[in-house]
Amino acid sequence: MNDAAQRRDDELVVPIRNESDLNHARMVTRETCKLVNVRGYQAQKIVTTVSELARNIARYASGGRVRFRVDATEEHIIIVAEDDGPGISNLDEILAGDYRSRTGLGRGLLGSRELADHFHIETSAAGTIVTTAFRYGGRKTWTTSTT
Amino acid sequence: MDDINYVTCIPLWDCLLVPLHGDVSDTHADQLVTEVLERIQKDESFGVLVDLSGVWTLDSHLCATLARLALAARMMGAKTVLSGMKPEIAMTLEAMGIELRGIETVATLEDALGSMGITRVRRGPDQDDDLLSQDLFGVRERERELGGPR
Ligand SMILES: Nc1ncnc2c1ncn2[C@@H]1O[C@H](COP(=O)(O)OP(=O)(O)OP(=O)(O)O)[C@@H](O)[C@H]1O
Ligand SMILES: [Mg+2]
C-alpha cells in the first residue's frame, strides 16, 4: 500500500487514481464509521456512497481524492469527493433522472443523493466536487431547524 | 494490484455455487463473470447460485455486473439466483432505486436450492439410525414429550 491515507489536520484524505483505490476508500469509510459507532444500515449507506463517488472519479476523471471529516459537535460524517476531471456537462439531466448511462446503471449520483442526509455537487471544466454529510447519534437534521 | 482475489465455484449437482465475500473489487467482479461463464460451459450447469452472505457492500457497479452475469448465463441455458443479501444492503439498494431486474433473489441458500428444484428429503422418524437428522428436526424432542411420564 503506497497510497496510504494522509492525515491533514482533522481530515483524512484518500487519493483515488484508479479502480484499485476503491477498496482502500471503502476500508477508510468503515473505519471512520467505527470511530463514531455508526453501524448497520447507516454505515452501509456511507460506504456505498463513497464507493459510488470514488468509482466515478476513477472512471471519469484522471484522478482525485476523497476527504473524510467527523464533525463531533454537529454529529455528522462529512465526505467530500473531488477531482480535476472534465466536469459533468449534463448534470441537470442526470439529477432530473433523464440520463441513460452507457457505462453502468446510472444510479451512482442519484443513489448517493438519496442515501446522504446532505448532498451538494459543484462541477465545472476544472473538475467536480461532491459534498455529502451523514448524521449519526441522536440529531435529526443537517441544519437544526426544529424548535 | 491484489492477487488474493480468486473466484470460488463449487459444483453442486448440476449447479454452481458461487460464494462472494468481503469487498468485491471491480477486477474480482470481472474475473467472476468470466470464470462462471466458462464453468457453465465446461460443467454444463443449469443453475448458478450466487451467495452474498459474506459481502460487505453492494454498489451500483457490482449490481450491474451481477445482472450482466445473469443475462449471459441465461443465454447459455443457466438460471442465476442470488441469496443471502444482508438486510442493510437490501435497504441501501432500495433507497438508491436500484433493482436487480431479471435476477431471482431469495433469502437463504436453501431457498436458492429450492428454486433450482433441489430439496431435502427427510428420512422417516422410524429410521432410528439417523439420529442426527431427528435431532435437527426436533423429532426426538417430540417423542420424548409424547412418551414422557403421564
Ligand atoms: N466525477 C465525474 N467527472 C466527470 N463525469 C462524471 C463524474 N461523475 C459522473 N460523471 C458523469 O455522470 C454520469 C452519471 O454518473 P452516475 O454515477 O450517476 O452513473 P454511472 O457512473 O454512469 O453509472 P453507475 O454509477 O450506476 O455505475 C456518468 O455516466 C458520467 O458521464
Ligand atoms: Mg457512477
Side-chain angles (χ1 to χ4, degrees):
Chain A
M1 282 280 180
N2 54 354
D3 51 347
Q6 296 161 266
R7 196 170 267 288
R8 282 184 207 153
D9 299 327
D10 59 341
E11 65 174 15
L12 206 60
V13 184
V14 178
I16 307 291
R17 270 153 284 138
N18 51 56
E19 276 154 22
S20 62
D21 293 323
L22 298 192
N23 277 18
H24 184 215
R26 285 189 289 250
M27 278 302 179
V28 170
T29 315
R30 290 193 188 95
E31 290 306 314
T32 308
C33 286
K34 258 191 226 159
L35 212 66
V36 288
N37 210 17
V38 169
R39 47 189 83 241
Y41 178 42
Q42 184 66 1
Q44 199 60 244
K45 290 201 290 186
I46 306 174
V47 179
T48 309
T49 300
V50 168
S51 196
E52 296 296 347
L53 299 179
R55 176 172 288 101
N56 282 353
I57 294 176
R59 197 182 287 173
Y60 309 117
S62 43
R65 60 214 71 82
V66 181
R67 300 177 182 278
F68 297 85
R69 193 161 60 82
V70 173
D71 182 338
T73 325
E74 287 289 324
E75 296 189 325
H76 281 100
I77 295 176
I78 297 148
I79 290 160
V80 182
E82 54 180 42
D83 65 64
D84 324 308
I88 312 171
S89 53
N90 57 338
L91 183 66
D92 292 341
E93 183 194 4
I94 293 168
L95 293 181
D98 299 331
Y99 172 72
R100 291 243 160 271
S101 173
R102 260 179 283 151
T103 44
L105 296 179
R107 296 305 304 180
L109 287 175
L110 279 176
S112 303
R113 189 176 64 175
E114 292 305 317
L115 296 178
D117 295 310
H118 168 86
F119 181 93
H120 180 76
I121 179 164
E122 265 173 73
T123 188
S124 75
T128 303
I129 305 173
V130 184
T131 306
T132 61
F134 297 84
R135 57 171 179 261
Y136 64 89
R139 288 194 190 229
K140 281 248 150 62
T141 45
W142 165 248
T143 44
T144 37
S145 56
T146 38
T147 45
Chain B
M1 187 178 91
D2 42 351
D3 285 319
I4 49 158
N5 285 329
Y6 40 82
V7 182
T8 316
C9 282
I10 306 162
L12 203 61
W13 295 287
D14 51 4
C15 295
L16 282 177
L17 171 60
V18 187
L20 298 182
H21 41 84
D23 244 340
V24 183
S25 72
D26 294 6
T27 325
H28 185 190
D30 288 339
Q31 284 170 0
L32 173 86
V33 176
T34 321
E35 173 86 19
V36 170
L37 294 179
E38 279 172 10
R39 285 292 288 270
I40 292 173
Q41 189 184 38
K42 194 158 69 78
D43 301 357
E44 297 178 17
S45 317
F46 289 110
V48 181
L49 309 160
V50 181
D51 189 74
L52 304 171
S53 317
V55 171
W56 290 343
T57 302
L58 257 185
D59 64 7
S60 168
H61 180 262
L62 188 51
C63 286
T65 307
L66 290 174
R68 187 157 58 89
L69 169 67
L71 190 68
R74 186 155 66 212
M75 291 194 280
M76 296 174 71
K79 166 177 157 181
T80 303
V81 178
L82 303 182
S83 63
M85 190 188 292
K86 288 191 181 74
E88 60 262 37
I89 293 184
M91 285 161 77
T92 304
L93 295 183
E94 199 274 328
M96 293 176 81
I98 293 177
E99 299 167 62
L100 283 161
R101 235 177 292 146
I103 318 183
E104 192 180 335
T105 308
V106 296
T108 65
L109 191 53
E110 283 105 86
D111 297 335
L113 286 166
S115 155
M116 297 293 175
I118 301 168
T119 48
R120 179 161 60 177
V121 178
R122 299 185 193 188
R123 305 182 70 166
D126 49 320
Q127 289 167 288
D128 54 358
D129 58 312
D130 202 351
L131 292 172
L132 178 68
S133 72
Q134 291 189 11
D135 255 352
L136 286 174
F137 296 120
V139 173
R140 285 208 296 165
E141 214 56 53
R142 208 155 53 231
E143 276 175 353
R144 223 174 286 141
E145 273 165 34
L146 290 173
R150 272 158 205 265

